[in-house]
Amino acid sequence: PNCAMLLLTWLPFLLGLSHAHQLVPKVVLVTTFPPEFTRWKERLQLKEELQFPGGAGSNVLCWNSELAVLGMVTGETSKHAAQSVTALGYDQRFDLRKSAWLLAGIAGV
């Protein structure tokens, strides 16, 4: 199964397929939990929801095509963050090679 996933991940590159149909975010906004993400989503008008089954914190990514901003909720703990960001990195819908990453968080007591 792991070999099959690797092959599917790299197949477009091996075949020389174009990145023309990929979304190219200028900024990827990463938050830990939904209440933290709400203000970002409202103010940046991240209205387009994209299914994201690999995400640990949320099964939806939010996108603003005019600003080219992609927002995600990773879920709490480093394990969930690693799972979500890795899944995004392998998602062929996105070209993240030139994206800036904004890790937004709040401090609680």
Side-chain angles (χ1 to χ4, degrees):
N2 290 338
C3 292
M5 185 163 178
L6 271 173
L7 180 61
L8 289 174
T9 301
W10 288 100
L11 190 60
F13 299 109
L14 295 173
L15 297 176
L17 298 178
S18 169
H19 294 281
H21 300 296
Q22 291 180 309
L23 298 176
V24 183
K26 291 180 183 175
V27 176
V28 178
L29 170 66
V30 180
T31 64
T32 305
F33 58 100
E36 173 180 66
F37 183 66
T38 301
R39 289 188 84 130
W40 290 99
K41 184 177 179 180
E42 291 169 355
R43 291 183 180 191
L44 293 174
Q45 298 183 12
L46 302 173
K47 295 180 180 180
E48 187 177 345
E49 293 189 348
L50 308 170
Q51 292 302 311
F52 186 53
S58 174
N59 291 331
V60 175
L61 298 170
C62 295
W63 173 250
N64 179 324
S65 58
E66 290 180 25
L67 297 176
V69 175
L70 180 68
M72 70 183 302
V73 178
T74 63
E76 296 179 50
T77 76
S78 57
K79 177 178 87 171
H80 291 139
Q83 176 185 338
S84 296
V85 172
T86 300
L88 180 60
Y90 279 110
D91 194 325
Q92 293 296 308
R93 296 176 292 175
F94 305 100
D95 180 354
L96 304 171
R97 292 177 293 170
K98 295 184 180 179
S99 300
W101 291 73
L102 175 60
L103 307 177
I106 60 171
V109 177

